């Protein structure tokens, strides 16, 4: 990392367009800096210093609704690095463009490192939302968190289920009670009850493309069993009341459009404790809504429910799971058409 400054234009939690700047400055003790509103309190520097050729996850949070002494917080890998006072409750409108890797158009000093991902939000995240986002980043980029590591599906021993990690969770400052199937490319969870402070359910998968699997179906009942190729590792953190939630599998979000599910009682929520072995049918679908198969009021009790989940069907000829079409050719042969196709399974 070298001397660099970045200015981000976004909207703050009160809906006013803001311009703020965060930058790494190696001539000032290898620290990260945040400048929320230049006319008040100037710049806030991290208390910790940073090392070259090292990866970091760093959070800058500004919330104008809080008391001045708590409006700015800086986190390094989920450890609170600094809380700073910002007297301004809003940030003045600024027409500055979005600049990444430099302070502004007239400043030629470049960022001397790599920026993997920048995420900005139109509202200040509560603690649970911040923790979930950082677990997503930690899994995606293999950067360890120094605190609040709520997801172990990304470890080699658990199969590196580090793709599209999302979750529900709650802390005293607020909660994140739902995530859509779009977030994890197929499976979504919505809380019904029991989501208490410190409770989390995070999920991630391990394969880039989805398809239907008719071979790894041991334990699935029915005459023509099949399951989705994509499996999600689910990590449950719950020491209190049973956490009850609706689980949905969306054909479109799973990258398998073109098939409409039918006969909901044929669809099963599948679970196994390890990366291989027979599946256990832990729930029967309660309904179908368009391209979504819904399992209502599923209970996540505690860490014993950690493991691998996906959706299966007892009869894929009646209650289909979409196939991944690799090719489709139609060739005129005299007065007929010869059709050939291939699928991933």
């Amino acid at each position: 990392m070298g001397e660099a400054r970045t200015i981000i234009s976004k909207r703050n939690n009160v809906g006013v367009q803001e311009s703020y700047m965060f930058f790494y400055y190696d001539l000032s003790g290898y620290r990260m800096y945040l400048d929320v509103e230049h006319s008040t309190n100037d710049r806030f520097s991290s208390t910790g210093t940073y090392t070259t050729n090292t990866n970091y996850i760093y959070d800058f949070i500004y919330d104008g609704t809080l008391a001045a002494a708590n409006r700015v917080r800086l986190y390094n890998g989920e450890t609170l690095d600094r809380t700073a006072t910002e007297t301004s409750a809003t940030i003045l409108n600024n027409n500055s463009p979005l600049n990444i890797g430099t302070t502004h158009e007239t400043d030629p000093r470049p960022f001397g490192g790599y920026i993997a991902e920048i995420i900005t939000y139109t509202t200040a995240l509560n603690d649970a939302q911040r923790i979930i986002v950082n677990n997503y980043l930690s899994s995606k980029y293999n950067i360890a968190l120094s605190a609040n590591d709520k997801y172990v599906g990304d470890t080699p021993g658990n199969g590196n289920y580090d793709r599209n990690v999302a979750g529900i969770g709650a802390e005293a400052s607020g909660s994140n009670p739902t995530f859509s199937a779009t977030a994890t490319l197929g499976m979504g969870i919505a809380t019904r009850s029991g989501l208490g402070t410190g409770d989390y359910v995070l999920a991630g998968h391990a394969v880039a493309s989805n398809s239907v699997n008719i071979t790894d179906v041991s334990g699935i009942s029915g005459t023509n069993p099949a399951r989705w190729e994509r499996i999600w590792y689910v990590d449950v953190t719950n020491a209190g009341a049973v956490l009850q939630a609706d689980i949905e599998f969306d054909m479109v979000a799973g990258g398998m459009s073109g098939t409409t599910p039918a006969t909901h009682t044929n669809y099963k929520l599948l679970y196994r404790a390890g990366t291989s072995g027979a599946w256990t049918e832990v729930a029967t679908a309660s309904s179908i809504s368009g391209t979504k198969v819904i399992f209502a009021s599923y209970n996540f009790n505690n860490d014993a429910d950690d493991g691998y989940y996906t959706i299966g069907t007892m009869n894929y000829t009646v209650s289909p799971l979409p196939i991944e079409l690799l090719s489709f050719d139609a060739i005129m042969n005299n007065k007929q058409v010869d059709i050939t196709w291939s699928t991933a399974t």
Side-chain angles (χ1 to χ4, degrees):
M1 300 174 69
E3 176 186 352
R5 303 182 178 192
T6 302
I7 186 166
I8 298 292
S9 296
K10 58 184 281 289
R11 291 185 179 273
N12 65 10
N13 63 305
V14 292
V16 179
Q17 185 176 340
E18 64 179 65
S19 290
Y20 71 90
M21 181 168 63
F22 64 87
F23 58 93
Y24 172 84
Y25 197 42
D26 62 2
L27 297 181
S28 299
Y30 300 95
R31 299 179 188 274
M32 294 293 293
Y33 283 79
L34 173 65
D35 191 351
V36 177
E37 172 54 60
H38 185 68
S39 61
T40 60
N41 307 107
D42 205 23
R43 298 168 178 169
F44 311 110
S45 68
S46 62
T47 59
T49 58
Y50 297 86
T51 306
T52 57
N53 300 316
T54 304
N55 298 320
Y56 296 95
I57 296 173
Y58 209 79
D59 302 327
F60 299 105
I61 295 180
Y62 166 77
D63 188 346
T65 67
L66 299 178
N70 299 315
R71 284 179 184 153
V72 173
R73 286 173 291 152
L74 284 65
Y75 289 86
N76 177 13
E78 264 307 301
T79 295
L80 180 62
D81 182 60
R82 179 176 180 179
T83 300
T85 299
E86 173 58 61
T87 56
S88 177
T90 60
I91 298 177
L92 299 177
N93 286 342
N94 193 310
N95 293 322
S96 298
L98 173 66
N99 291 294
I100 299 175
T102 184
T103 305
H104 49 75
E105 300 94 311
T106 61
D107 193 326
R109 292 174 291 178
F111 182 73
Y114 297 97
I115 301 173
E117 188 164 346
I118 295 175
I119 307 174
T120 63
Y121 291 91
T122 59
T123 186
L125 301 188
N126 62 47
D127 292 334
Q129 292 168 330
R130 187 200 71 244
I131 289 169
I132 292 169
V133 170
N134 282 333
N135 275 266
Y136 151 77
L137 292 169
S138 173
S139 300
K140 183 175 181 179
Y141 296 106
N142 193 27
I143 302 175
L145 297 177
S146 53
N148 295 323
D149 189 345
K150 304 294 184 181
Y151 183 69
V152 300
D154 58 345
T155 62
N158 287 325
N160 290 321
Y161 281 67
D162 50 16
R163 294 175 179 268
N164 301 97
V165 174
I168 60 174
E171 295 292 339
S173 64
S175 66
N176 191 72
T178 182
F179 66 84
S180 72
T182 303
T184 67
L185 299 186
M187 183 178 75
I189 294 179
T191 303
R192 275 183 174 260
S193 63
L195 184 63
T197 299
D199 292 346
Y200 288 87
V201 178
L202 275 75
H205 67 90
V207 295
S209 61
N210 202 6
S211 186
V212 64
N213 187 313
I214 59 173
T215 57
D216 180 19
V217 295
S218 176
I220 307 176
S221 59
T223 56
N224 294 296
R227 68 164 179 86
W228 266 12
E229 185 69 28
R230 182 168 291 147
I231 302 166
W232 288 263
Y233 185 90
V234 176
D235 192 336
V236 180
T237 303
N238 181 27
V242 172
L243 199 168
Q244 192 175 85
D246 294 342
I247 303 174
E248 71 174 29
F249 291 88
D250 189 334
M251 305 291 179
V252 173
M256 302 172 70
S257 59
T259 299
T260 301
T263 313
H264 69 270
T265 53
N266 278 338
Y267 292 102
K268 304 294 182 178
L269 178 63
L270 305 179
Y271 165 83
R272 64 187 178 195
T275 55
S276 61
W279 293 95
T280 299
E281 298 174 351
V282 293
T284 299
S286 56
S287 63
I288 292 172
S289 178
T291 60
K292 299 177 181 179
V293 179
I294 301 167
F295 298 84
S297 302
Y298 186 76
N299 291 337
F300 291 106
N301 295 284
N302 47 43
D303 291 350
D305 290 329
D306 290 0
Y308 304 84
Y309 292 77
T310 191
I311 183 175
T313 175
M314 298 170 60
N315 189 339
Y316 63 79
T317 63
V318 176
S319 302
L321 294 171
I323 61 173
E324 182 182 10
L325 193 64
L326 299 180
S327 66
F328 185 92
D329 297 304
I331 301 174
M332 181 64 71
N333 184 1
N334 294 323
K335 294 183 178 181
Q336 296 179 331
V337 177
D338 292 336
I339 298 174
T340 59
W341 67 90
S342 64
T343 65
T345 54

